[in-house]
Amino acid sequence: MSENKKNTRRSFLKMGLGAAAIVPVTALGLSNSAFAATDPKAIKWDDEMDVLVIGSGMAGMIAGIRAAETDPSIKVVVADKMSRLGGSSLISGLNMAVVGSDLQEKIGVTDDSWELLLKDIEKEAKGYNHRPLTEVAAKGTLKLYNFLKDHGVQYDMSIGGGTGVKKLGGHSRARCVWPAGGGTEVIKKLQQFCAEKLSNLEIRKKVLLEEILRNDEGRVIGVKVREKYRFNSRPEDLGDNDNPEINKSGKTKYYKVKRGLVMGSGGYNQDRRFRGDEVGTMYNAASTTQPGATAGAIKAMINSGFKPIHMTLFRFAFPIPTEDILWGILVNPRTGERFVDEYSNNDRQTIGMAILEERRAIDGEHTVLIYDQKGADEYHDQQRLHLSLEGKNGTNGTIWKFETLEELAINFDMNIATLKANIEKYNIDMEKDQDAFHKPKSKLKTATSISKAPYYAMQLNPRYNYAQGGALITPEARAIDVVTGDTIPGAFVCGEAAAGTYGYIRLTACSTIDCGTFGMVAGENAAKEQPWS
Amino acid sequence: MNKKLFVLALLVVGALIGTGGSLITAEIVHNTGNEAFCGSCHSMEPMAKTFKLDVHGGNNDRGFVAECADCHLPHDSVVSYMIDKTKHGINDVFVETFTNTEEIDWIARRSERARYVFDSGCLSCHQDLLDKTIASNPKSLQTHAHYKNQLAKEDPIQCVSCHATIGHADQLRTVLNETNPEYSFSSSKAMAITKKH
Amino acid sequence: MKKLLIIAISFFVFSMSWATISETTPEPNWQELAQEYSIKPHHRALKFDCVMCHSESTPDDYEPLETEQCLDCHGSSQKVANRLKFMDANHTNPHNSFHDGLDLDCYECHAEHEPSINLCTRCHEVGNWMSTVK
């Protein structure tokens, strides 16, 4: 493409031009469009609303609330295809990076800044991100923190040694805070706020988005949905639920959306086929996002011309902090042997892929991470360690405690002799800082051997828990048309459903700020759109 | 004295003894059917405690309190009532005094409720239940009509077939779990040494 | 001739209505339905049949139940949660859980015509929290 057009697009994004700047497709001299235009007069509308938000997780709820607050005279509907509201947010920890909070002030951190946060994020993004978008997230953290507080969310003061704020891996300042009770707290409090204070906001369950309708000028005018939809969590590939041949539940309805459609529909992590098409080994990865995280919404967006980006990127999550893996050793249960440097620069992708590859060789059996007491003592995140010991840390998140290595070996069907031999070898090599996998002794502090009872073990497995891929947006949360490159009038995307804020990896504690800041922007802008009819 | 007077005296004494005996029996029966009596045995404490929380046990705005015997003894005839009462009276005293009642699995016993909760008991108070045409929960009209239908059949269902937790405020299992936990989550050691499965 | 015509027309109309009526109201094969859509032991013990739960006029129209319909008999979410109150201490009462409180629909776990699932086990090990879901 020409240099001119590139610059136009970049400055377009920078200035964040709105609907008024849209040029109809035909005027650009392009005869084909990315979507099939709908004639609004040909549709028999079953319902109408000013703003329709798809998704009831953090992004969707915040978008809905901001839309309803921005204009109390408009009708806002937050629709979710699941019968269990809250998306993945409900079951997530939802820790969040906040620059300049009162909690940070109290512990004497006065030199944090959004620029520093941006730098931390971009170090992980490795250049894949679109900086104007990342800046929106980096700049909006304090506003989001206060928004949540004002809407009933309380923060957990027991973390960070009683200060309520922690320095997590990859962050150069102590700035991460937790809602008290994680995502459940956020979702329930926001739902409560809506019920008590926002009479113009309605939340609807079991409404599946099937199609996004745009008129011949490219404006989003409405949606085709199925009401009383029943998601089925039994299929091997949950993505089958988006296939109307397989899941036929629900009755078709047409909603007229007068001002704005906001897509807060999350990721597609549970869609084996969809993510497996992007990255082969991902077909078999585990995921602990909500079961409804399938590709239906992104497909509907693509089908109506929204531009998808970053679809091949993925992010592993471990139930324990990546930087607490190195204190132990990862072994193949059948051979008792190690297979990777457990430090690997704290790169979760490397460690995750190594585990998946090793598991492939042993029919999918789990590899085992073993600590001794010294390793447990070095744990950064004692809170997480105890959650695991109580069995409350999700799938493969449980850590078992054993008085002897013999007990440990029996529990995981391992040969005690080979295990002990391998541990012995590790201890000897590490003493000389000549580890077979080049694990640096300097990083291990006091945990330079596996020798002190009691022992701890878990079946460490990477979870594919964040989909960087999604619809490209502008800093105003507006969707972009894949053919024209212009914003799509009346279309907004926020949270995990959107893409561009992050890149190769998403820094920990940053999904919340993406969902929250763009949720606010999307909701406000959707409410301010001029109605098309 | 003469025969007539003797017979008369016998009759009078007999009547007095009979009346006295009946009154004493009635008094005994009357006083051994309520929560104060049944609940005085240690093993019955969870039952008594939860009964008091129930609408039948006084937790209502009418001041109404049922007795254990109202539900847990048959009321279809005086004879079956008295036979069961005597049988259980002897059994309960014996078991409470001479055996270790801690070994009784009360939680499992709850699934045998059809054996020791009698429809005649329920219906002796809820007399018009099966003939109602309007109800605060309209579904109950359908379900009670179903119950009535089944009475004529070979193996009828009972009130407690559906009303599984009636009389004890839905809390009996919870209170029993205080001393006999079904799951080990309450003990802090539990998770740390549980094997993987 | 007129008479014949009237008779012919009446016969035609009569047979068409008879055919239509018998087409639109065939008796459902209840035996077959009961076998294909078996019910859970605890409901079978109560001698329930299809119409105890399904209120639509014909089996062809039967829809999966909504939570409100289950609660017509099971009372309320609060009542159902109360029965497992001893699990509240651990926040693992499936009917009053940490994540969902009283908000879960029955069918998130419970199914009548196929085995139920345990929603909690999607993410958690529940061995010492609860028994099998009925």
Side-chain angles (χ1 to χ4, degrees), chain A residues 83-84 206 230 234 394-395, chain C residues 65-66 100 103 108 115 123:
Chain A
S83 49
R84 190 188 192 198
K206 292 154 61 183
R230 285 277 179 121
R234 289 158 206 264
T395 309
Chain C
L65 260 53
E66 295 296 334
D100 297 283
D103 297 339
E108 289 292 344
C123 298

Side-chain angles (χ1 to χ4, degrees), chain A residues 168-229:
Chain A
L168 289 181
H171 288 270
S172 48
R173 292 289 180 278
R175 58 166 80 103
C176 299
V177 300
W178 256 265
T184 301
E185 163 79 357
V186 174
I187 294 299
K188 295 302 181 187
K189 288 292 166 70
L190 293 182
Q191 284 176 350
Q192 199 184 335
F193 183 88
C194 291
E196 289 171 7
K197 304 273 171 57
L198 295 174
S199 54
N200 58 333
L201 186 152
E202 183 197 333
I203 304 177
R204 292 184 190 173
K205 303 201 298 198
K206 292 154 61 183
V207 176
L208 173 77
L209 172 74
E210 283 204 297
E211 255 183 75
I212 299 172
L213 308 170
R214 296 168 69 181
N215 62 15
D216 59 2
E217 285 175 5
R219 202 224 193 270
V220 168
I221 55 169
V223 292
K224 178 175 169 225
V225 300
R226 283 189 353 236
E227 288 183 343
K228 281 204 167 173
Y229 171 73

Side-chain angles (χ1 to χ4, degrees), chain A residues 83-84 90-91 181 184 188 191 205-206 228 230 233-234 238 251 270 288 291 391-395 398 400, chain C residues 63-66 90 92 98-100 103-105 107-109 111 114-117 119 122-125 129:
Chain A
S83 49
R84 190 188 192 198
L90 181 76
I91 54 177
T184 301
K188 295 302 181 187
Q191 284 176 350
K205 303 201 298 198
K206 292 154 61 183
K228 281 204 167 173
R230 285 277 179 121
S233 60
R234 289 158 206 264
L238 294 166
K251 298 213 158 60
Q270 295 282 11
T288 54
K392 286 183 174 168
N393 203 4
T395 309
T398 306
W400 286 278
Chain C
E63 298 272 318
L65 260 53
E66 295 296 334
N90 199 38
T92 52
F98 179 78
H99 293 301
D100 297 283
D103 297 339
L104 280 183
D105 282 303
Y107 46 78
E108 289 292 344
C109 291
E114 53 183 350
S116 299
I117 59 169
L119 177 66
R122 279 208 75 84
C123 298
H124 294 287
E125 308 229 3
W129 291 0

Side-chain angles (χ1 to χ4, degrees), chain A residues 304-323:
Chain A
S304 49
F306 292 45
K307 183 183 169 71
I309 63 165
H310 291 179
M311 303 298 285
T312 304
L313 298 178
F314 60 90
R315 179 185 188 268
F316 283 138
F318 288 111
I320 56 172
T322 313
E323 62 269 13

Side-chain angles (χ1 to χ4, degrees), chain B:
Chain B
M1 60 177 131
N2 69 17
K3 228 185 187 172
K4 255 194 206 161
L5 219 52
F6 184 68
V7 170
L8 190 64
L10 261 182
L11 282 171
V12 170
V13 171
L16 281 170
I17 293 173
T19 312
S22 305
L23 285 172
I24 292 171
T25 306
E27 194 64 16
I28 293 174
V29 168
H30 183 68
N31 285 321
T32 56
N34 58 17
E35 180 268 320
F37 178 77
C38 304
S40 63
C41 279
H42 176 67
S43 62
M44 284 293 118
E45 274 170 23
M47 293 68 174
K49 181 173 171 188
T50 52
F51 172 67
K52 286 204 272 253
L53 298 170
D54 191 86
V55 66
H56 295 87
N59 192 3
N60 56 69
D61 55 8
R62 303 281 195 264
F64 164 75
V65 185
E67 300 194 344
C68 311
D70 287 340
C71 303
H72 289 296
L73 284 177
H75 291 263
D76 41 8
S77 76
V78 181
V79 175
S80 64
Y81 178 88
M82 288 306 296
I83 291 177
D84 258 30
K85 188 170 176 74
T86 315
K87 233 175 38 185
H88 288 298
I90 297 171
N91 173 73
D92 293 354
V93 171
F94 183 83
V95 167
E96 190 73 28
T97 319
F98 298 110
T99 71
N100 184 4
T101 54
E102 311 275 301
E103 287 173 6
I104 301 176
D105 186 352
W106 295 109
I107 294 177
R109 284 256 179 119
R110 289 159 54 254
S111 54
E112 297 165 35
R113 58 189 186 277
R115 176 171 55 82
Y116 50 78
V117 187
F118 298 89
D119 285 13
S120 53
C122 309
L123 292 170
S124 63
C125 285
H126 294 279
Q127 290 168 13
D128 288 340
L129 185 76
L130 302 177
D131 299 317
K132 289 170 72 166
T133 48
I134 47 170
S136 53
N137 180 4
K139 187 77 182 175
S140 66
L141 298 172
Q142 185 189 5
T143 48
H144 291 147
H146 173 68
Y147 166 85
K148 221 172 157 182
N149 263 332
Q150 293 296 314
L151 282 176
K153 306 235 168 109
E154 202 178 280
D155 185 20
I157 55 177
Q158 291 180 230
C159 303
V160 291
S161 304
C162 287
H163 294 278
T165 52
I166 200 78
H168 293 276
D170 306 337
Q171 291 308 296
L172 187 53
R173 186 179 179 186
T174 289
V175 173
L176 289 171
N177 261 271
E178 284 168 16
T179 46
N180 291 73
E182 289 174 73
Y183 309 105
S184 51
F185 60 75
S186 50
S187 91
S188 55
K189 276 181 100 181
M191 201 53 231
I193 54 174
T194 307
K195 298 239 183 337
K196 78 163 171 66
H197 34 260

